[in-house]
């Protein structure tokens, strides 16, 4: 309900509701919220634009939100966000360009986002990113050239990205990279 926004002291909100189809705009009023977990909300098709008002949010988990087709552009306003998990969001086809504004993001999971065909060029602006998980992104054909700018990246998982045809030349600039997982990438030349 809209009255959810009145819970001003709330720091953690966990909703594993399979039947949840929408979130109220008042979600953005939860100024103390640091963790938002919406895993297994299989009917949730969109997130409110007010999501970007959650300035204290450090963790956002949307795993298995299989109807989620897009993320709001306001996602880039989440300046405190350190961990974002979108595992098995099958309908997610793109990430907003504002993604590169997530300056504190350290861990990103996009595993099983089958329709994700490309990553935004702004991805290279994520200077705090240390872990990037992209397994089973079967529609992903390429990585942006800005990929080499991810200077903090230590772990990259791309296994079973069957449409990935090439890695960008800039991947050689990832001096901190200690783990690279590429098995099952049948189209890699």
């Amino acid at each position: 309900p809209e009255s959810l926004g009145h819970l001003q002291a709330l720091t953690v909100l966990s909703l594993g509701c399979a039947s949840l189809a929408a979130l109220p705009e008042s979600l953005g009023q939860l100024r103390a919220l640091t963790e938002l977990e919406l895993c297994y909300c299989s009917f949730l098709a969109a997130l409110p634009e007010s999501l970007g008002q959650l300035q204290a949010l450090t963790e956002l988990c949307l795993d298995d939100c299989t109807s989620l087709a897009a993320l709001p552009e306001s996602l880039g306003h989440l300046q405190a966000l350190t961990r974002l998990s979108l595992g098995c969001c099958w309908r997610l086809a793109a990430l907003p360009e504002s993604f590169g504004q997530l300056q504190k993001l350290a861990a990103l999971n996009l595993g099983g986002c089958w329709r994700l065909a490309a990553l935004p060029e702004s991805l290279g602006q994520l200077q705090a990113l240390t872990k990037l998980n992209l397994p089973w992104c079967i529609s992903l054909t390429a990585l942006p050239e800005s990929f080499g700018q991810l200077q903090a990246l230590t772990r990259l998982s791309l296994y079973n990205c069957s449409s990935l045809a090439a890695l960008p030349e800039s991947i050689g600039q990832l001096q901190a990279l200690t783990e690279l997982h590429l098995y099952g990438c049948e189209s890699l030349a």
Side-chain angles (χ1 to χ4, degrees):
E2 277 299 319
S3 62
L4 182 70
H6 298 196
L7 302 174
Q8 296 300 302
L10 195 65
T11 58
V12 177
L13 178 57
S14 182
L15 298 169
C17 305
S19 60
L20 183 70
L23 291 167
E25 276 296 324
S26 66
L27 179 74
Q29 296 170 15
L30 300 175
R31 303 284 188 234
L33 199 66
T34 58
E35 294 179 34
L36 179 56
E37 186 175 310
L38 299 169
C39 300
Y40 306 103
C41 295
S42 53
F43 288 102
L44 186 64
L47 297 170
E49 234 0 92
S50 66
L51 180 75
Q53 296 170 17
L54 300 174
Q55 294 303 301
L57 197 67
T58 58
E59 294 189 24
L60 176 57
C61 183
L62 297 162
D63 290 346
D64 293 288
C65 290
T66 54
S67 295
L68 191 64
L71 297 171
E73 195 63 36
S74 68
L75 184 77
H77 299 158
L78 299 175
Q79 295 304 302
L81 197 66
T82 59
R83 185 177 161 273
L84 175 60
S85 189
L86 294 156
C88 295
C89 290
W90 301 332
R91 291 197 173 103
L92 188 65
L95 299 175
E97 194 57 40
S98 68
F99 213 73
Q101 296 170 21
L102 299 172
Q103 292 304 303
K104 292 188 178 174
L105 191 65
L108 174 59
N109 176 29
L110 294 165
C113 292
W114 297 343
R115 292 191 182 168
L116 190 64
L119 298 172
E121 196 62 38
S122 68
L123 186 79
Q125 297 169 22
L126 300 177
Q127 294 304 301
L129 194 65
T130 59
K131 294 179 182 151
L132 180 54
N133 200 28
L134 293 162
W136 292 100
C137 290
I138 58 176
S139 298
L140 189 65
T141 58
L143 299 175
E145 193 55 41
S146 67
F147 210 75
Q149 297 170 20
L150 299 173
Q151 293 304 303
L153 195 66
T154 59
R155 185 176 196 274
L156 175 59
S157 293
L158 291 163
Y159 58 88
N160 294 316
C161 292
S162 54
S163 298
L164 188 64
L167 296 175
E169 193 61 38
S170 67
I171 201 164
Q173 298 169 17
L174 300 176
Q175 297 303 305
L177 195 66
T178 58
E179 290 184 47
L180 177 59
H181 303 276
L182 290 170
Y183 53 89
C185 298
E186 301 152 358
S187 300
L188 265 181

